[in-house]
Amino acid sequence: MNKRTLAISGAAVAALGAAAILLPNANANPDETSGAKTFSSPVAVKLARSLAADLGDNGAGWYYDNANRQLVMNVVDEDSAEGVRAKGAVAKIVTNSMEDLKAATKTLSSDASVPGTAWSIDPVTNKVQVTADRTVTGAKWATLTKATDQMEGTVSVKRSQGEFKKFDGEEAAQPGDNGGAGAGDAAGDAGAGDAAGDAGAGDAAGDAGAAGGAGDAGAGGAGDAGAGGAAGGEQGAGGAGDAGGAGDAGGGGDAAAGGLDGGDAIFGGGARCSLGFNVSVDGAPGFLTAGHCGNASQTWTSDEAGAQQVGTVQDSQFPASDFALVMYDDATTQASSTVDLQDGSTQEIGRAVEASVGLKVQRSGSTTGVTDGTVTGLNATVNYGNGDIVNGLIQTDVCAEPGDSGGAMFAEDAAVGLTSGGSGDCTQGGETFFQPVTGALEATGAVIGAGDGGAGGGDAAGGAGDAAGGAGDAAGGAGDAAGGAGDAAGGAGDAAGAGNAGAGDAGDAGNAGAGAAAGAGDTGSDAGQGLN
């Protein structure tokens, strides 16, 4: 045998050896992704629901892999996996069926429901993920571990450094403490009938006169636009009139004629919460917030002083669920379907969707502004203590803090959840749980998108909108006072009547000099920009 023949033979042997090593590995991994397609999140969700229905008991949940833009379906056998792969999804063969996982959650509810615990089904690990906060010690920890030790392989336990609590806050805690909805001092919170918004130059008059003062109907004010308040509160790129975007500190300047935005502060019963989403019920304007907020007070205002009442609770559910429906007291309120992005702009919300694990979301609240993260679990149960056990929540790694309760969680233009509570903060992070919006809408008969408002409401024009009842037109970006009571002169910061917080006080409300932006109607003026 010559050298050439030997070389060829050696190469052939080497190739066969490599094949012997690689071939078994090619078929060893049941999570094969080589033939998987990439999908946008909405398309993946649609496909997942269709596949889940087809799989029935052979399916064990699913999630969206954001990094690879792939849909991962958990299945219990190879035959099911083949059907999943044929549709372009990743098939992951798992040990625990959905029936196993649901049985585990029932055992936890009956045997390990101690304050400071939470659990949800995690399709990524194919287990029920139990989280115990820092208060779960001693007998509480023993009770929990006794139950979870018997479900090894189905349940996993982790500790949280924080403490599970509802994220409502006290009124004394000013919104915006962490860069959220408010940017300045609560200068000139109007008492009923006072000249709201006595903001000195440079003060953040976002709180002035009922959190923005402008556009808030006082007692009997029935939609007084307050020098462009109805227009200014949602002017331009969302909230340009709200004290140059620095305000919204307590709800913005569009509380009566123009409604509030998702994420804006609301006050009631000594508590501060956040508005979730504007809705309509049989054509009447309202909004959703957290149920534990709705239980705290029957009426809600846009200012800490309580001068600017905006709505009355119609339905509140807590602790079994955590949502409340508040109807605007002024039926002509133009409650636009928007979320405050806390940077002078808003996000339009046109629909509601169910959450899915892996979904990228954002949250807007009156304490911490806008934060983002990912849905990590579904059908979560949280035990806040004192008998407050909430089921069916969405678990996320989004941060939140007291005062953010009820605030909007959304994914692009879709409403997803209402902030309930959790552990941690926006410095160290933590878990936050949300009430699914779809469940709240179904229970209350409300629909997302209340931009039409009630009868007689003015039409939105160029993002500014007319004053309630069509009484005044937005002019030059500043807007006229509702009912024609007075013109906002050029949006120069005079904002006469911007307070209108009292029962008809014309009050020089604010008469803020340049930079004070006492009236939220000062849309686009130098006065508003002086607060930034």
Side-chain angles (χ1 to χ4, degrees):
M1 186 177 292
N2 60 34
K3 292 181 178 179
R4 182 172 182 275
T5 304
L6 283 171
I8 294 174
S9 298
V13 171
L16 286 172
I21 295 172
L22 295 174
L23 221 70
N25 291 336
N27 296 315
N29 185 5
D31 307 342
E32 182 181 348
T33 63
S34 59
K37 298 179 181 178
T38 58
F39 302 98
S40 66
S41 179
V43 173
V45 169
K46 184 176 181 180
L47 175 59
R49 289 175 179 159
S50 174
L51 285 171
D54 292 341
L55 289 167
D57 292 339
N58 292 325
W62 57 272
Y63 60 96
Y64 182 64
D65 180 353
N66 273 287
N68 297 307
R69 301 183 69 242
Q70 293 175 333
L71 170 64
V72 181
M73 301 292 301
N74 291 342
V75 296
V76 297
D77 57 55
E78 180 59 34
D79 288 342
S80 299
E82 290 181 3
V84 167
R85 295 183 190 118
K87 296 292 187 179
V90 176
K92 183 177 179 181
I93 299 179
V94 296
T95 302
N96 298 315
S97 68
M98 186 56 68
E99 183 178 352
D100 294 333
L101 298 173
K102 289 181 177 179
T105 63
K106 290 181 179 179
T107 300
L108 289 167
S109 294
S110 61
D111 299 346
S113 184
V114 297
T117 58
W119 55 78
S120 64
I121 294 175
D122 178 12
V124 178
T125 62
N126 185 232
K127 293 182 179 181
V128 176
Q129 179 68 64
V130 180
T131 305
D133 73 14
R134 65 186 179 193
T135 69
V136 181
T137 58
K140 292 166 64 177
W141 177 253
T143 298
L144 177 63
T145 54
K146 180 180 179 180
T148 57
D149 286 349
Q150 298 175 9
M151 295 182 284
E152 185 178 359
T154 306
V155 171
S156 61
V157 181
K158 68 175 184 177
R159 298 302 302 255
S160 171
Q161 295 181 351
E163 179 180 348
F164 289 132
K165 56 189 175 184
K166 304 181 291 293
F167 280 142
D168 52 329
E170 297 180 359
E171 289 185 0
Q174 288 303 309
D177 287 344
N178 287 292
D185 303 325
D189 288 319
D194 293 340
D198 293 332
D203 282 341
D207 278 356
D216 298 356
D224 288 357
E234 296 178 26
Q235 175 78 3
D242 296 336
D248 278 356
D254 44 357
L260 296 167
D261 290 322
D264 286 348
I266 52 175
F267 301 85
R272 173 171 60 83
C273 289
S274 298
L275 185 145
F277 299 96
N278 283 316
V279 296
S280 62
V281 181
D282 296 328
F287 60 82
L288 296 174
T289 188
H292 64 268
C293 295
N295 286 2
S297 178
Q298 186 67 16
T299 58
W300 288 85
T301 68
S302 62
D303 67 319
E304 185 179 348
Q308 300 297 321
Q309 182 170 320
V310 293
T312 303
V313 174
Q314 178 170 302
D315 186 12
S316 185
Q317 300 295 323
F318 182 81
S321 299
D322 198 0
F323 66 84
L325 172 65
V326 181
M327 301 304 294
Y328 282 103
D329 292 333
D330 182 355
T332 65
T333 298
Q334 298 297 293
S336 62
S337 187
T338 49
V339 171
D340 191 348
L341 297 182
Q342 317 292 355
D343 62 357
S345 66
T346 57
Q347 169 66 57
E348 292 286 340
I349 301 295
R351 58 199 176 102
V353 298
E354 294 182 6
S356 56
V357 173
L359 179 67
K360 292 290 187 182
V361 292
Q362 293 178 286
R363 178 201 53 77
S364 180
S366 64
T367 298
T368 56
V370 177
T371 59
D372 57 22
T374 305
V375 173
T376 58
L378 302 175
N379 198 27
T381 294
V382 184
N383 189 329
Y384 291 120
N386 298 317
D388 293 340
I389 302 173
V390 190
N391 301 305
L393 298 179
I394 303 164
Q395 184 169 352
T396 74
D397 59 10
V398 182
C399 73
E401 296 182 8
D404 289 330
S405 273
M409 180 173 75
F410 56 102
E412 298 180 346
D413 68 336
V416 180
L418 304 166
T419 307
S420 176
S423 68
D425 53 39
C426 287
T427 300
Q428 299 179 345
E431 304 85 11
T432 302
F433 299 88
F434 296 82
Q435 161 71 43
V437 166
T438 51
L441 293 173
E442 182 178 357
T444 59
V447 295
I448 289 287
D452 292 335
D459 297 325
D466 297 340
D473 297 322
D480 298 338
D487 298 325
D494 208 14
N500 276 354
D505 263 359
D508 260 22
N511 274 334
D522 295 340
T523 57
S525 70
D526 290 337
Q529 295 174 8
L531 291 176
N532 291 334

